[in-house]
């Protein structure tokens, strides 16, 4: 017979996972609260976040694998593979539910494909949270749109599995100063224009009927 308290904890964990996906990582504290409650019940001591013992190649594989899986899911409308890459708590959401969660990105036809070749810049180095999850955040410095991400991974079967993902695009183009810099020379009007960026990340244009 299943213990009613353990069933309640599992329901709380699934609810936290769903909230994390639908609201972005603003709801990550809910997942942490669930894990901390479980540890408290067992009498374990909760520690502060600590740096993760993972090399750069491992970090790149996790970031690119997750974002490319999300990109392909958004493009095809099939979220089965993305779901299969997730932790058991992530898989509490069906493929159809994931489609509803990321419906806005799909409608905007956002394209994250360039993350396959661009180098991410981390603003939160990989760290292990008190609930045991791997947490990192950063961006891909692309233009005209910059890809910002925040990711949570849960340990399962000796692997890091997707628990939460938040991705959005913001303007990545440099802004011209309002006034000329003192001593700055005017550009040579006869000079050719600079080359366009070799890779861009931006919403796709709607196809003409």
């Amino acid at each position: 017979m299943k213990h009613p308290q353990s069933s309640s904890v599992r329901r709380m964990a699934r609810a936290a996972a769903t909230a994390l996906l639908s609201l972005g990582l603003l709801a990550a504290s809910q997942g942490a609260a669930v894990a901390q409650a479980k540890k408290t019940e067992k009498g374990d001591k909760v520690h502060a976040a600590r740096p993760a013992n993972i090399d750069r190649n491992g970090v790149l594989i996790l970031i690119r694998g997750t974002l490319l899986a999300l990109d392909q899911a958004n493009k095809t409308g099939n979220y089965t593979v993305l779901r299969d890459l997730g932790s058991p708590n992530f898989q509490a959401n069906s493929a159809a539910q994931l489609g509803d969660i990321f419906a806005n990105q799909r409608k905007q036809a956002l394209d994250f494909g360039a993350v396959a070749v661009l180098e991410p810049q981390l603003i939160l180095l990989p760290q292990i949270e008190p609930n045991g999850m791997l947490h990192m955040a950063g961006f891909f410095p692309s233009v005209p749109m910059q890809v910002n991400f925040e990711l949570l991974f849960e340990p399962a079967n000796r692997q890091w599995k997707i628990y939460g993902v938040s991705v959005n695009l913001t303007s990545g183009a440099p802004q011209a100063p309002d006034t000329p810099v003192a001593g700055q020379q005017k550009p040579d009007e006869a000079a050719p224009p600079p080359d366009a960026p070799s890779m861009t990340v931006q919403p796709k244009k709607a196809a003409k009927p």
Side-chain angles (χ1 to χ4, degrees):
M1 180 181 294
K2 295 183 179 179
H3 196 286
Q5 186 175 7
S6 62
S7 298
S8 176
V9 171
R10 284 196 295 271
R11 287 196 299 269
M12 291 173 65
R14 290 183 179 181
T18 303
L20 178 60
L21 285 164
S22 60
L23 300 178
L25 294 183
L26 294 177
S29 59
Q30 297 182 20
V34 172
Q36 288 176 8
K38 293 172 67 177
K39 289 186 177 182
T40 301
E41 291 174 0
K42 296 179 181 179
D44 295 337
K45 183 178 179 181
V46 178
H47 300 282
R50 65 185 188 278
N53 184 20
I54 181 172
D55 61 21
R56 178 170 177 78
N57 289 336
V59 171
L60 290 176
I61 290 172
L62 288 175
I63 294 175
R64 285 178 172 155
T66 301
L67 297 185
L68 289 176
L70 174 59
D71 182 61
Q72 292 172 2
N74 286 338
K75 289 176 178 176
T76 62
N78 186 342
Y79 292 83
T80 303
V81 174
L82 177 65
R83 179 180 181 274
D84 290 344
L85 292 174
S87 70
N89 283 320
F90 185 91
Q91 292 179 6
N93 301 278
S94 67
Q97 288 173 323
L98 292 177
D100 292 338
I101 290 168
F102 294 107
N104 190 45
Q105 291 185 1
R106 191 169 60 255
K107 290 178 181 178
Q108 296 181 57
L110 301 184
D111 190 349
F112 305 140
V115 304
V117 295
L118 297 175
E119 287 292 319
Q121 303 296 316
L122 296 179
I123 57 176
L124 175 64
L125 296 178
Q127 64 182 35
I128 305 299
E129 298 294 346
N131 58 6
M133 293 190 186
L134 176 62
H135 186 194
M136 65 182 78
F139 63 94
F140 287 84
S142 53
V143 291
M145 302 300 292
Q146 174 176 290
V147 179
N148 306 287
F149 63 87
E150 190 169 1
L151 306 172
L152 273 178
F153 298 91
E154 185 175 20
N157 298 324
R158 301 181 63 84
Q159 294 182 337
W160 289 113
K161 298 288 189 176
I162 301 170
Y163 176 82
V165 52
S166 176
V167 186
N168 63 75
L169 298 182
T170 57
S171 176
Q175 300 295 323
D178 295 332
T179 57
V181 178
Q184 184 178 25
Q185 297 181 353
K186 293 183 178 180
D188 185 358
E189 295 181 357
D195 293 334
S198 58
M199 180 61 65
T200 62
V201 178
Q202 57 186 340
K204 291 183 177 179
K205 295 181 179 179
K208 294 182 179 180

